[in-house]
Amino acid sequence: MARASRLSLYVTIYLFLCLLANLTLVVMFLGGQQHRQHPQARPPPTPTWTPSSGQTLGCGELPVISNLTLIGSGWTKAVYKGWYGSSWVAVKTVHTSGHDMTECNAEVNVCYRRCAEKLMQEAQMLHKLSHNNVIKVFGKCMPKVEYSPGPPKSGVVAVVVELGRPVRVVEVLQMDYEARLQLAMDVGKILKLLAHSPLGPVLMKDFRREQFVIVDGSLKLSDVDDVVVGDPYCTSAKDCVIQDTTKDAILTSVPCDRGLCRGYNSLLNSIYASQHFMRLLIPYGGPAALEKASLHLVDQQVQGKLDSEHLHYAIEALVHNYSVGGYLTNNEKQEIQNFVVFHGSTVEGEDFPCLRTDGSNCIQSVSSPAEGASLCSQLPTCSAFVLMDQWVWTGRQIAVFKMGATKVMENKRHTLYVRRGQG
Ligand SMILES: Nc1ncnc2c1ncn2[C@@H]1O[C@H](COP(=O)(O)OP(=O)(O)OP(=O)(O)O)[C@@H](O)[C@H]1O
Ligand SMILES: *[C@@H]1O[C@H](CO)[C@@H](O)[C@H](O)[C@H]1NC(C)=O
Ligand SMILES: *[C@@H]1O[C@H](CO)[C@@H](O)[C@H](O)[C@H]1NC(C)=O
């Protein structure tokens, strides 16, 4: 067959490969692989693997991953969710109908191999960056056989990683302040890691929310196939300027020091993070007294005045301020004197209908009994509040506000504060 017509046949096949077909192919392959490896058609034993077992998965384990469903795809990769052992995992493989494959001018197997190499390099990069805020790699498979079009009978390249959820703006905006603050803290940790990675300063050229996922409320870096290791080379100061997003003004610059733009990657990652994360995460929903400081922080970051290290430090300081109620005024702290404390007591019912306008929940965390008293005092109909035996990650305690304190009950784990002259 002429090469040109063979190529066009390939192209036609790829154009018809929709995402669903992609899934079918992987499932078909996995079924085939299983069959080949177990000629007696004996199903593989149920694996006892857990994410923390430290046992690395390879090509042999891939067929055992069940219940595969497509959960995301980009230019290079298709990402599946699957069940292995007793856990859900994510399986990254080449997106055979993705941009990198369809826009590739070489032979299909050459293109596939390129994408596969990219996937393997990414697995290696994730491994080298190994950190709580970087997706864990559980294993990888790079079959030796060449790829050929059609159902991938000769093998699929795959990297098995920790499963996360995409970062959706709507969901982020609906989170409570504390959950968002935790993501902000993770952004700080990730930026610090990238600035001081074992490989040197790493720049995320394509810094978008899509490069991250959320696992158990923590933000984790998941896509590192478009990064640069090392600050850029320079011969003069003008090589080290950072332009604003529209590229028509100089935003800031770092010094050209012994041939390198020192701190360039750290600063640029921080600027990107301000636009894609911090703006969404910290300014709103917290104590009003922290709003101005938070907006200022984001502003400084947008303008390139905070490199990754300084940003990390600023977020830690913000979280600390929030945890200890550093934003309370002396007057606010005095309100506690208008309350009588009953240790080991609680009030049944009579919950305050709503403290804030943004939710029907009248439960919120406080940094101290004084803050509870201050909040209660601001509400004419608040008669009491109860500190419960629940704490959030910031160390703040959960308080429930009460309209009355008529049904006082014993509860060893609660502390009741009743407002004088009320309830
Ligand atoms: N570990 C994971 N858990 C859950 N979802 C993931 C995971 N990794 C990636 N995804 C989802 O799959 C999508 C595509 O993955 P990824 O970004 O790695 O592909 P890509 O081809 O490199 O994309 P692009 O190059 O276009 O950014 C992501 O946007 C994300 O929503
Ligand atoms: C996987 O799919 C099978 C068949 O649809 C189903 O019975 C099983 O419960 C699924 N497993 C998990 C962990 O969801
Ligand atoms: C907390 O933030 C407020 C408001 O920005 C500021 O006035 C106060 O000094 C900060 N306190 C601490 C302990 O950081």
Side-chain angles (χ1 to χ4, degrees):
M1 209 196 297
R3 195 168 144 204
S5 74
R6 212 175 72 207
L7 255 180
S8 71
L9 177 66
Y10 291 168
V11 169
T12 318
I13 290 170
Y14 280 101
L15 289 179
F16 282 132
L17 277 181
C18 64
L19 297 183
L20 224 80
N22 206 337
L23 167 66
T24 321
L25 295 184
V26 173
V27 171
M28 278 171 71
F29 162 71
L30 295 180
Q33 177 98 338
Q34 180 172 329
H35 185 69
R36 260 202 320 288
Q37 285 189 345
H38 302 272
Q40 313 89 343
R42 183 165 45 87
T46 310
T48 53
W49 180 88
T50 62
S52 54
S53 66
Q55 187 201 339
T56 314
L57 311 186
C59 293
E61 278 75 40
L62 268 188
V64 191
I65 300 177
S66 65
N67 299 42
L68 285 162
T69 48
L70 185 71
I71 53 168
S73 60
W75 279 21
T76 326
K77 288 162 277 173
V79 184
Y80 295 83
K81 172 184 171 177
W83 180 256
Y84 184 75
S86 50
S87 321
W88 288 107
V89 292
V91 184
K92 292 193 177 198
T93 182
V94 173
H95 188 197
T96 48
S97 50
H99 178 275
D100 279 7
M101 286 295 285
T102 55
E103 296 297 300
C104 171
N105 291 321
E107 295 254 8
V108 170
N109 59 359
V110 174
C111 299
Y112 186 80
R113 198 122 285 261
R114 266 182 217 158
C115 293
E117 289 295 341
K118 220 168 149 182
L119 206 60
M120 288 302 125
Q121 276 167 19
E122 182 179 17
Q124 216 171 34
M125 178 62 80
L126 286 171
H127 188 73
K128 285 179 183 158
L129 289 177
S130 185
H131 183 273
N132 271 338
N133 293 105
V134 175
I135 250 9
K136 275 201 233 4
V137 179
F138 296 140
K140 52 180 188 279
C141 169
M142 179 75 162
K144 293 268 181 306
V145 223
E146 285 298 304
Y147 174 78
S148 61
K153 44 191 176 295
S154 53
V156 280
V157 170
V159 175
V160 184
V161 298
E162 197 175 5
L163 178 69
R165 286 188 299 113
V167 184
R168 294 204 179 89
V169 175
V170 184
E171 275 176 42
V172 169
L173 293 177
Q174 282 169 351
M175 285 177 169
D176 62 34
Y177 180 69
E178 253 144 352
R180 275 186 284 120
L181 208 53
Q182 183 168 4
L183 295 185
M185 192 123 119
D186 291 331
V187 172
K189 287 178 186 168
I190 292 168
L191 288 182
K192 193 178 165 193
L193 168 73
L194 293 174
H196 298 279
S197 91
L199 306 161
V202 173
L203 173 69
M204 290 198 42
K205 275 203 298 187
D206 187 23
F207 199 118
R208 290 175 292 130
R209 283 183 291 274
E210 285 81 356
Q211 264 63 33
F212 300 80
V213 293
I214 297 173
V215 181
D216 293 334
S218 293
L219 190 71
K220 299 200 183 199
L221 186 54
S222 103
D223 183 358
V224 289
D225 71 6
D226 207 7
V227 301
V228 185
V229 176
D231 282 326
Y233 296 109
C234 58
T235 49
S236 72
K238 70 176 192 322
D239 297 334
C240 301
V241 300
I242 292 175
Q243 285 170 319
D244 71 0
T245 40
T246 56
K247 303 247 184 241
D248 40 48
I250 290 173
L251 187 65
T252 181
S253 65
V254 295
C256 176
D257 172 26
R258 285 163 290 158
L260 284 179
C261 299
R262 303 267 168 200
Y264 183 92
N265 291 356
S266 160
L267 190 54
L268 197 50
N269 279 336
S270 176
I271 294 169
Y272 288 152
S274 68
Q275 294 152 357
H276 294 281
F277 283 105
M278 300 312 280
R279 245 188 222 298
L280 290 180
L281 296 176
I282 60 169
Y284 309 105
L290 283 181
E291 199 169 298
K292 214 174 133 217
S294 300
L295 281 169
H296 181 69
L297 199 163
V298 176
D299 237 37
Q300 297 280 101
Q301 194 188 357
V302 169
Q303 291 169 28
K305 291 177 181 158
L306 289 174
D307 66 13
S308 294
E309 188 128 16
H310 285 97
L311 177 79
H312 175 257
Y313 181 80
I315 295 172
E316 302 254 292
L318 176 69
V319 171
H320 178 75
N321 194 323
Y322 179 67
S323 299
V324 303
Y327 49 86
L328 292 173
T329 64
N330 279 333
N331 280 346
E332 286 169 331
K333 286 189 246 178
Q334 297 304 315
E335 288 293 344
I336 190 75
Q337 289 167 9
N338 299 322
F339 286 75
V340 185
V341 57
F342 299 92
H343 294 281
S345 297
T346 195
V347 170
E348 200 189 65
E350 299 181 272
D351 284 13
F352 203 84
C354 219
L355 257 190
R356 294 214 215 135
T357 48
D358 61 15
S360 55
N361 217 332
C362 303
I363 294 173
Q364 86 158 75
S365 72
V366 293
S367 57
S368 59
E371 181 165 16
S374 159
L375 288 170
C376 187
S377 305
Q378 287 165 30
L379 305 157
T381 49
C382 181
S383 300
F385 67 96
V386 174
L387 291 186
M388 306 207 292
D389 53 335
Q390 284 173 39
W391 288 263
V392 271
W393 73 273
T394 47
R396 291 163 61 103
Q397 194 167 4
I398 295 293
V400 188
F401 296 84
K402 303 282 179 180
M403 291 186 295
T406 45
K407 278 193 226 137
V408 177
M409 321 263 290
E410 185 183 327
N411 186 326
K412 293 229 165 356
R413 299 178 308 275
H414 289 190
T415 312
L416 170 65
Y417 293 84
V418 179
R419 198 169 169 183
R420 284 183 213 276
Q422 306 231 348

